[in-house]
Amino acid sequence: MKILAALYLISPIGAFIGHTLLLVSRMVVLARPPVTSMAESLLFVPWIAMCGALIIRRGRRLVGLAAAVILCFAYPDFEPVAPVLNSNMWLSTHVILVVSSYGLFLLAALFGHAYLIKPHQRLTKLVYHTLFLGTAALIAGTLLGGVWAAQSWGRFWDWDPKESWAFISICCYLVGIHAYTFGHIKARGLAMTAALGFLAITFTWYGVNYILGTGLHSYGFGSGGGWIYGLAVLGDLFILSALFFKNSWVGYLKRYDTGKRGRAPRALFRSVRNTLHLYGARRRHRPDT
Amino acid sequence: MNLSNLYRTLSSVWLAIALIALCALEVIAGTVIEGLTGSHERAALYTYGHPLFKALLVGFFLNILLSALRRLPWKWCHTSFLLAHLGLLMVITGVFVKITFGLQGHMVIMEGAETNQVWLPGTETIDANGRELDCEIVAYSPHAEEKLERWFKNDLVYVDGLKPIAMGEIRAISMEGSLITVTAADAPRDGMLTFVRSEDAVYVGTEKLPQAHVAIDGGRGGYGVVAQIDDFTLFTPLTRQITPLPSLAKLEDNRPLVTVRYQGETVPLLYDATGSGLRWPIGDKLVRFQPKRTTLPYHVRLRQVRQINHPGTEKPAAYEADIVVDGRPRFLAMNRVVSLPGGYRLYLSNLNNNRAQIVVNRDPAKYLLTYPGCLLISLGTLMLYIKKRP
């Protein structure tokens, strides 16, 4: 896996071909889709993200970097499938859709971060497409999971932690999509939704199994790595906060450098207000004096 | 606030965003509670099962309905929006129909046994031979512990004030009237232990392991445990010691205690989740504090239950059961459901040695509302994407 990860840094397309061959060979050997464990999902999600990047012909290097990081944590295993997962039909529909949505959200998060660093209209469209498609896939996959749960466990929905966090992730994206569709946030807000929503997805993907460790999806349970995950999330939140207030502190520093110091809190307040306007918050109308 | 403003507020996207966010926060709280306490029931008590959550669902329903009505007269461009949100309305309605009219319970059947009784987990009743007893609840405690005290356990004899004596150390037994005197090798008090033989007891037991419970007068006189030594049968009455305790963090492990009064008598009853424990006498009844039961219109007999392992390993690949439903043989397995007329569905949930736990489910809204609603949500979401892409 580490060789594949290194190859993604050198030649994303070459690595993608090798990655595809690896997944296909697993499918042929195991006679089922390669999505029944955390190890397999760590192989599948970067593949989907790279697929998306190749289809839209954007972001290969960025996705290659993310894939390299994820594949460093991947480990091949050949554990037999738990009885409740012994259904190729449901693995091919529910699990593939959900895990594919994780790949699309990874792509959206990468484009979202890129937009927050350097806004570009092309990136807006990319964030929109990947976010919306990912949400559609996650909603459909989650609902199919409910149907499968009704077949296996005798009930459609019981707020199992995995189900709950899938619901929470959907809610995170729906808030952003509704706000963007009705003009309450702009492209920066959508980019921030993509970035923050992926944190919810990572908890659904990893945190439920490795940190909470409760619920009926117990075949995926493990332990360890909680502190690495926590650090990664905190680090990303710090970066997002810095990007969120980038215009604020850049504007504040400019005022400070040009000598228009004023009172620091007022200057900072104005900068924050200008930042919020960038995200779509309405200006309060002031009558002319 | 006039009606027009109220209508605009209730159908606004801001309310929708606020409801979605509140719902997400409540579910996050539920998962945190479940992660900390390990109790799904406790999480449900404070979040998913709380009336506030149901109020949120009603809020969703109103908001979606009014936002759809606000777009009247509908045009073709509204199709994707209406499809996605009609699906949501159907799913929310399906939730309430299932809660009100549905059935979710389980049956536990041994191989060879037959039953038509479905246990309803999470419910409580004082059962007197299949009927709910109309009695007064004097006291209730969320959790309690019960100890059944008896004079001998395994092959040791316990008497208050003396150290346990091994049955093998009993040297002589003599009987005088209804008194049996036992002489043990190292009994500290005059080398004698005295037991009382009861004329009304039914004796069942083995020489070395007196584990069998016996019922005196069918249980109306209480219970005891017996042991057989040579030609003599020793009997010790079972006495209960119940201690009320505070509720556990994991609600599923709680055993509630209820004290009931009936025909002038009062008896404490500890919750029996499996409904297979002892019934205790009160008045002219024998009662047990257990989950409610409902009767299925079918008799289900378990012929055989088996675990299929992956070849060459001890790891399970599949769980299967052969059942007979009203004379018709059926096959039950994980991911293979048995559907019965009337909307009842049987699922193999668990198996343990030669016993199977079968979940019984009936959801009148599943095929009318929930599943079609899910299809509409998926279709509508995709159409919204195609329609609104920049």
Side-chain angles (χ1 to χ4, degrees), chain B residues 271-331:
Chain B
Y271 191 70
D272 181 1
T274 60
S276 57
L278 299 173
R279 288 180 179 276
W280 296 98
I282 184 169
D284 60 347
K285 306 274 186 215
L286 284 170
V287 298
R288 187 166 54 214
F289 183 31
Q290 64 181 36
K292 286 185 180 168
R293 282 185 298 184
T294 188
T295 305
L296 205 61
Y298 305 96
H299 284 81
V300 180
R301 183 161 63 86
L302 179 67
R303 260 198 195 150
Q304 191 194 45
V305 67
R306 52 190 174 271
Q307 173 180 310
I308 313 292
N309 291 339
H310 284 286
T313 72
E314 294 288 318
K315 297 205 173 188
Y319 300 120
E320 297 173 352
D322 293 323
I323 59 172
V324 178
V325 181
D326 281 355
R328 275 187 66 195
R330 306 293 292 264
F331 174 70

Coordinates of all heavy atoms in Angstrom, one line a residue, chain B residues 271-331:
Chain B
Y271 N -38.4 -7.7 37.8 CA -38.6 -7.9 36.4 C -37.9 -9.1 35.8 O -36.7 -9.3 36.0 CB -38.2 -6.6 35.7 CG -38.6 -6.5 34.2 CD1 -40.0 -6.3 33.9 CD2 -37.7 -6.6 33.2 CE1 -40.4 -6.1 32.6 CE2 -38.1 -6.5 31.9 CZ -39.5 -6.2 31.6 OH -39.9 -6.1 30.3
D272 N -38.7 -9.9 35.1 CA -38.1 -11.1 34.4 C -38.2 -10.9 32.9 O -39.2 -11.1 32.3 CB -38.9 -12.3 34.9 CG -38.4 -13.6 34.3 OD1 -37.4 -13.5 33.5 OD2 -39.0 -14.6 34.6
A273 N -37.1 -10.4 32.3 CA -37.1 -10.0 30.9 C -37.4 -11.2 30.0 O -37.9 -11.0 28.9 CB -35.8 -9.4 30.5
T274 N -37.1 -12.4 30.4 CA -37.3 -13.6 29.5 C -38.6 -14.2 29.8 O -39.1 -15.1 29.0 CB -36.2 -14.6 29.7 OG1 -36.2 -15.1 31.1 CG2 -34.8 -14.1 29.4
G275 N -39.3 -13.9 30.9 CA -40.6 -14.5 31.2 C -40.5 -16.0 31.5 O -41.5 -16.7 31.2
S276 N -39.3 -16.5 31.9 CA -39.2 -17.9 32.2 C -38.9 -18.2 33.6 O -38.7 -19.4 33.9 CB -38.1 -18.5 31.3 OG -36.9 -17.8 31.5
G277 N -38.9 -17.2 34.5 CA -38.5 -17.5 35.9 C -39.7 -17.9 36.7 O -40.8 -18.3 36.2
L278 N -39.5 -17.9 38.0 CA -40.5 -18.4 39.0 C -41.7 -17.4 39.0 O -41.5 -16.2 38.9 CB -39.9 -18.6 40.3 CG -38.7 -19.6 40.4 CD1 -38.1 -19.5 41.8 CD2 -39.2 -21.0 40.1
R279 N -42.9 -18.0 39.2 CA -44.1 -17.2 39.5 C -44.3 -17.2 41.0 O -44.1 -18.2 41.6 CB -45.3 -17.8 38.8 CG -45.3 -17.6 37.3 CD -46.6 -18.2 36.7 NE -46.6 -18.0 35.3 CZ -47.0 -16.9 34.6 NH1 -47.5 -15.9 35.3 NH2 -47.0 -16.9 33.3
W280 N -44.6 -16.0 41.5 CA -44.8 -15.9 43.0 C -46.2 -15.8 43.4 O -47.0 -15.2 42.7 CB -44.0 -14.7 43.5 CG -42.5 -14.9 43.2 CD1 -41.8 -14.5 42.2 CD2 -41.6 -15.8 44.0 NE1 -40.5 -14.9 42.2 CE2 -40.4 -15.7 43.3 CE3 -41.7 -16.5 45.2 CZ2 -39.2 -16.4 43.8 CZ3 -40.6 -17.2 45.6 CH2 -39.4 -17.1 44.9
P281 N -46.6 -16.4 44.5 CA -48.0 -16.4 44.9 C -48.4 -15.1 45.5 O -47.7 -14.4 46.3 CB -48.0 -17.5 46.0 CG -46.7 -17.6 46.5 CD -45.7 -17.2 45.5
I282 N -49.7 -14.7 45.1 CA -50.3 -13.5 45.7 C -51.8 -13.8 45.6 O -52.4 -14.0 44.5 CB -49.9 -12.2 45.0 CG1 -50.5 -11.0 45.8 CG2 -50.2 -12.2 43.5 CD1 -50.0 -9.6 45.3
G283 N -52.4 -13.8 46.8 CA -53.9 -14.1 46.8 C -54.0 -15.5 46.2 O -53.4 -16.5 46.7
D284 N -54.9 -15.7 45.3 CA -55.1 -17.0 44.7 C -54.4 -17.1 43.3 O -54.7 -18.1 42.6 CB -56.6 -17.3 44.5 CG -57.3 -16.2 43.6 OD1 -56.6 -15.2 43.3 OD2 -58.4 -16.4 43.2
K285 N -53.5 -16.2 43.0 CA -52.8 -16.2 41.7 C -51.3 -16.5 41.9 O -50.7 -16.3 43.0 CB -53.0 -14.9 41.0 CG -54.4 -14.4 40.9 CD -55.0 -14.9 39.7 CE -56.4 -14.3 39.5 NZ -57.3 -15.2 38.9
L286 N -50.7 -16.9 40.8 CA -49.3 -17.0 40.7 C -48.9 -16.0 39.6 O -49.4 -16.0 38.5 CB -48.8 -18.4 40.3 CG -48.9 -19.5 41.3 CD1 -48.6 -20.8 40.7 CD2 -47.8 -19.2 42.4
V287 N -48.0 -15.0 40.0 CA -47.8 -13.9 39.1 C -46.3 -13.7 38.8 O -45.4 -14.2 39.6 CB -48.3 -12.6 39.7 CG1 -49.8 -12.6 39.8 CG2 -47.6 -12.2 41.0
R288 N -46.0 -13.0 37.7 CA -44.6 -12.8 37.3 C -44.6 -11.4 36.7 O -45.5 -11.0 35.9 CB -44.2 -13.8 36.3 CG -42.7 -13.7 36.0 CD -42.2 -15.0 35.2 NE -43.0 -15.3 34.1 CZ -43.2 -16.5 33.7 NH1 -42.7 -17.6 34.4 NH2 -43.9 -16.8 32.6
F289 N -43.6 -10.6 37.0 CA -43.4 -9.2 36.4 C -42.5 -9.4 35.2 O -41.4 -9.7 35.3 CB -42.7 -8.4 37.5 CG -42.5 -6.9 37.1 CD1 -43.4 -6.3 36.3 CD2 -41.5 -6.2 37.6 CE1 -43.3 -4.9 35.9 CE2 -41.3 -4.8 37.3 CZ -42.2 -4.2 36.4
Q290 N -43.1 -9.2 34.0 CA -42.4 -9.5 32.8 C -42.9 -8.6 31.7 O -43.8 -7.8 31.9 CB -42.8 -11.0 32.4 CG -44.3 -11.1 32.1 CD -44.7 -12.5 31.8 OE1 -44.1 -13.5 32.3 NE2 -45.6 -12.7 30.9
P291 N -42.2 -8.7 30.5 CA -42.7 -7.9 29.3 C -44.1 -8.3 28.9 O -44.5 -9.5 29.2 CB -41.7 -8.2 28.2 CG -40.6 -8.8 28.9 CD -41.1 -9.5 30.1
K292 N -44.8 -7.4 28.2 CA -46.1 -7.8 27.7 C -45.9 -8.8 26.5 O -44.9 -8.8 25.9 CB -46.8 -6.6 27.1 CG -47.4 -5.7 28.2 CD -48.2 -4.5 27.7 CE -48.7 -3.7 28.8 NZ -49.2 -2.4 28.4
R293 N -47.0 -9.5 26.3 CA -47.0 -10.4 25.1 C -48.2 -10.2 24.2 O -49.2 -9.7 24.7 CB -47.0 -11.9 25.6 CG -45.8 -12.4 26.2 CD -45.9 -13.9 26.5 NE -46.9 -14.1 27.6 CZ -47.1 -15.3 28.1 NH1 -46.4 -16.4 27.7 NH2 -48.0 -15.5 29.1
T294 N -48.0 -10.5 23.0 CA -49.2 -10.5 22.1 C -49.2 -11.8 21.4 O -48.2 -12.5 21.3 CB -49.1 -9.3 21.1 OG1 -50.3 -9.2 20.4 CG2 -47.9 -9.4 20.1
T295 N -50.3 -12.1 20.9 CA -50.5 -13.4 20.2 C -50.4 -13.3 18.7 O -51.2 -12.5 18.1 CB -51.8 -14.1 20.6 OG1 -51.9 -14.1 22.1 CG2 -51.9 -15.5 20.1
L296 N -49.6 -14.0 18.1 CA -49.5 -14.1 16.6 C -50.6 -14.9 16.1 O -50.9 -16.0 16.7 CB -48.1 -14.7 16.3 CG -47.5 -14.3 15.0 CD1 -47.2 -12.8 14.9 CD2 -46.2 -15.1 14.8
P297 N -51.2 -14.6 14.9 CA -52.2 -15.5 14.4 C -51.6 -16.8 13.8 O -52.3 -17.5 13.0 CB -52.9 -14.6 13.3 CG -51.9 -13.5 13.0 CD -51.0 -13.4 14.2
Y298 N -50.3 -17.0 14.0 CA -49.7 -18.3 13.5 C -49.0 -19.0 14.6 O -48.4 -18.3 15.5 CB -48.7 -17.9 12.4 CG -49.3 -17.1 11.3 CD1 -49.2 -15.7 11.3 CD2 -50.0 -17.7 10.2 CE1 -49.7 -14.9 10.3 CE2 -50.6 -16.9 9.2 CZ -50.4 -15.5 9.3 OH -51.0 -14.8 8.3
H299 N -48.9 -20.3 14.5 CA -48.0 -21.1 15.4 C -46.7 -21.4 14.7 O -46.7 -21.9 13.6 CB -48.7 -22.4 15.8 CG -49.8 -22.2 16.8 ND1 -51.1 -21.8 16.5 CD2 -49.8 -22.3 18.2 CE1 -51.8 -21.7 17.6 NE2 -51.1 -22.0 18.6
V300 N -45.6 -21.1 15.4 CA -44.3 -21.2 14.8 C -43.6 -22.3 15.6 O -43.4 -22.2 16.8 CB -43.5 -19.9 14.8 CG1 -42.1 -20.1 14.2 CG2 -44.3 -18.8 14.1
R301 N -43.1 -23.4 14.9 CA -42.4 -24.4 15.5 C -41.0 -24.4 14.9 O -40.8 -24.3 13.7 CB -43.0 -25.8 15.3 CG -42.3 -26.9 16.0 CD -43.3 -28.1 16.2 NE -43.7 -28.7 14.9 CZ -43.0 -29.6 14.2 NH1 -41.9 -30.0 14.7 NH2 -43.4 -30.0 13.1
L302 N -40.0 -24.5 15.8 CA -38.6 -24.5 15.4 C -38.1 -26.0 15.2 O -38.1 -26.7 16.2 CB -37.7 -23.8 16.4 CG -36.2 -23.8 16.0 CD1 -36.0 -22.9 14.8 CD2 -35.4 -23.2 17.2
R303 N -37.8 -26.4 14.0 CA -37.4 -27.8 13.8 C -35.9 -27.9 14.1 O -35.4 -28.7 14.8 CB -37.6 -28.1 12.3 CG -38.8 -28.9 12.0 CD -38.6 -29.6 10.7 NE -39.9 -30.1 10.2 CZ -40.2 -30.2 8.9 NH1 -39.4 -29.8 8.0 NH2 -41.3 -30.7 8.6
Q304 N -35.1 -27.0 13.4 CA -33.6 -27.1 13.6 C -33.0 -25.7 13.4 O -33.5 -24.9 12.5 CB -33.0 -28.1 12.6 CG -31.6 -28.4 12.9 CD -30.9 -29.1 11.8 OE1 -31.0 -28.7 10.6 NE2 -30.2 -30.2 12.1
V305 N -32.0 -25.5 14.1 CA -31.3 -24.2 14.0 C -29.8 -24.6 13.8 O -29.3 -25.5 14.5 CB -31.5 -23.2 15.1 CG1 -30.9 -23.8 16.4 CG2 -31.0 -21.9 14.8
R306 N -29.1 -23.9 12.9 CA -27.7 -24.3 12.7 C -26.8 -23.1 12.3 O -27.3 -22.1 11.7 CB -27.6 -25.4 11.6 CG -28.3 -25.0 10.4 CD -28.4 -26.2 9.4 NE -29.2 -25.8 8.3 CZ -30.5 -25.9 8.2 NH1 -31.2 -26.5 9.2 NH2 -31.2 -25.5 7.2
Q307 N -25.6 -23.2 12.6 CA -24.6 -22.2 12.2 C -23.7 -22.8 11.1 O -23.1 -23.9 11.4 CB -23.8 -21.8 13.4 CG -22.6 -20.8 13.1 CD -21.8 -20.4 14.3 OE1 -22.4 -20.0 15.3 NE2 -20.5 -20.6 14.2
I308 N -23.6 -22.1 10.0 CA -22.7 -22.6 8.9 C -21.4 -21.8 9.0 O -21.4 -20.6 9.0 CB -23.3 -22.4 7.5 CG1 -24.8 -22.9 7.5 CG2 -22.5 -23.1 6.4 CD1 -25.0 -24.4 7.7
N309 N -20.3 -22.5 9.1 CA -19.0 -21.8 9.2 C -18.3 -21.7 7.9 O -18.6 -22.5 6.9 CB -18.0 -22.5 10.2 CG -18.5 -22.5 11.6 OD1 -19.3 -21.6 12.0 ND2 -18.1 -23.4 12.4
H310 N -17.4 -20.7 7.8 CA -16.6 -20.6 6.6 C -15.7 -21.9 6.5 O -15.2 -22.3 7.5 CB -15.7 -19.4 6.6 CG -16.4 -18.1 6.3 ND1 -16.9 -17.7 5.1 CD2 -16.9 -17.1 7.2 CE1 -17.5 -16.6 5.1 NE2 -17.5 -16.2 6.4
P311 N -15.5 -22.4 5.3 CA -14.8 -23.7 5.2 C -13.4 -23.6 5.9 O -12.6 -22.6 5.6 CB -14.7 -23.9 3.7 CG -15.7 -23.1 3.1 CD -16.0 -22.0 4.0
G312 N -13.1 -24.6 6.7 CA -11.8 -24.6 7.3 C -11.6 -23.6 8.5 O -10.5 -23.5 9.0
T313 N -12.7 -23.0 8.9 CA -12.6 -22.0 10.0 C -13.7 -22.2 11.0 O -14.6 -23.0 10.8 CB -12.6 -20.5 9.5 OG1 -14.0 -20.3 9.1 CG2 -11.7 -20.3 8.3
E314 N -13.6 -21.5 12.2 CA -14.7 -21.6 13.2 C -15.6 -20.3 13.0 O -16.5 -20.1 13.8 CB -14.1 -21.6 14.6 CG -13.3 -22.9 14.9 CD -14.3 -24.0 15.1 OE1 -15.4 -23.8 15.7 OE2 -14.0 -25.1 14.6
K315 N -15.3 -19.5 12.0 CA -16.0 -18.2 11.9 C -17.3 -18.4 11.2 O -17.4 -19.1 10.2 CB -15.2 -17.2 11.2 CG -13.9 -16.8 11.9 CD -13.4 -15.5 11.5 CE -12.2 -15.1 12.4 NZ -11.8 -13.8 12.3
P316 N -18.4 -17.9 11.7 CA -19.7 -18.1 11.1 C -19.9 -17.4 9.8 O -19.5 -16.3 9.6 CB -20.7 -17.5 12.1 CG -20.0 -16.5 12.9 CD -18.5 -17.0 12.9
A317 N -20.4 -18.2 8.8 CA -20.7 -17.6 7.5 C -22.2 -17.3 7.4 O -22.6 -16.4 6.7 CB -20.3 -18.6 6.4
A318 N -23.0 -18.2 8.0 CA -24.4 -18.0 7.9 C -25.1 -18.6 9.1 O -24.6 -19.5 9.7 CB -25.0 -18.6 6.6
Y319 N -26.3 -18.1 9.4 CA -27.2 -18.7 10.5 C -28.5 -19.1 9.8 O -29.0 -18.3 9.0 CB -27.5 -17.7 11.6 CG -26.3 -17.2 12.3 CD1 -26.0 -15.9 12.4 CD2 -25.4 -18.1 13.0 CE1 -24.9 -15.4 13.1 CE2 -24.3 -17.7 13.7 CZ -24.0 -16.3 13.7 OH -22.9 -15.9 14.4
E320 N -28.9 -20.3 10.0 CA -30.1 -20.8 9.3 C -31.0 -21.5 10.3 O -30.6 -22.0 11.3 CB -29.8 -21.8 8.2 CG -28.9 -21.2 7.1 CD -28.4 -22.2 6.1 OE1 -28.6 -23.5 6.4 OE2 -27.9 -21.9 5.1
A321 N -32.3 -21.5 10.0 CA -33.3 -22.2 10.8 C -34.4 -22.8 9.9 O -34.8 -22.1 9.0 CB -33.9 -21.2 11.8
D322 N -34.8 -24.0 10.3 CA -36.0 -24.6 9.6 C -37.1 -24.5 10.6 O -37.1 -25.0 11.7 CB -35.7 -26.1 9.4 CG -34.6 -26.3 8.3 OD1 -34.5 -25.5 7.4 OD2 -33.8 -27.2 8.5
I323 N -38.2 -23.8 10.1 CA -39.3 -23.6 11.0 C -40.6 -24.2 10.3 O -40.6 -24.4 9.1 CB -39.6 -22.1 11.3 CG1 -39.8 -21.3 10.1 CG2 -38.4 -21.6 12.2 CD1 -40.2 -19.9 10.4
V324 N -41.6 -24.4 11.1 CA -42.9 -24.8 10.5 C -43.9 -23.8 11.0 O -44.1 -23.6 12.2 CB -43.3 -26.2 11.0 CG1 -44.6 -26.6 10.5 CG2 -42.2 -27.2 10.6
V325 N -44.6 -23.2 10.0 CA -45.6 -22.2 10.4 C -47.0 -22.7 10.0 O -47.3 -22.9 8.8 CB -45.3 -20.8 9.6 CG1 -46.4 -19.8 10.0 CG2 -43.9 -20.3 9.9
D326 N -47.7 -23.0 11.0 CA -49.1 -23.6 10.8 C -49.0 -24.8 9.8 O -49.8 -24.9 8.9 CB -50.0 -22.6 10.2 CG -50.6 -21.6 11.3 OD1 -50.3 -21.9 12.5 OD2 -51.3 -20.7 11.0
G327 N -48.0 -25.7 10.1 CA -47.9 -26.9 9.3 C -47.1 -26.8 8.0 O -46.8 -27.8 7.4
R328 N -46.8 -25.6 7.6 CA -46.0 -25.4 6.4 C -44.5 -25.2 6.7 O -44.2 -24.3 7.5 CB -46.5 -24.1 5.6 CG -47.7 -24.4 4.7 CD -48.0 -23.2 3.9 NE -46.9 -22.9 3.0 CZ -46.8 -21.7 2.3 NH1 -47.7 -20.7 2.5 NH2 -45.8 -21.5 1.5
P329 N -43.6 -26.0 6.2 CA -42.2 -25.8 6.4 C -41.7 -24.6 5.7 O -42.0 -24.3 4.6 CB -41.5 -27.1 5.9 CG -42.6 -27.7 5.0 CD -43.9 -27.2 5.3
R330 N -40.9 -23.8 6.4 CA -40.3 -22.6 5.9 C -38.8 -22.5 6.2 O -38.4 -23.1 7.2 CB -41.0 -21.3 6.4 CG -42.5 -21.3 6.2 CD -43.0 -21.2 4.8 NE -42.6 -20.0 4.2 CZ -43.5 -18.9 4.0 NH1 -44.7 -19.0 4.6 NH2 -43.1 -17.9 3.4
F331 N -38.0 -21.8 5.4 CA -36.6 -21.7 5.7 C -36.3 -20.2 6.1 O -36.7 -19.3 5.4 CB -35.8 -22.0 4.4 CG -34.4 -21.8 4.5 CD1 -33.6 -22.6 5.3 CD2 -33.8 -20.8 3.8 CE1 -32.2 -22.4 5.4 CE2 -32.4 -20.6 3.8 CZ -31.6 -21.4 4.6

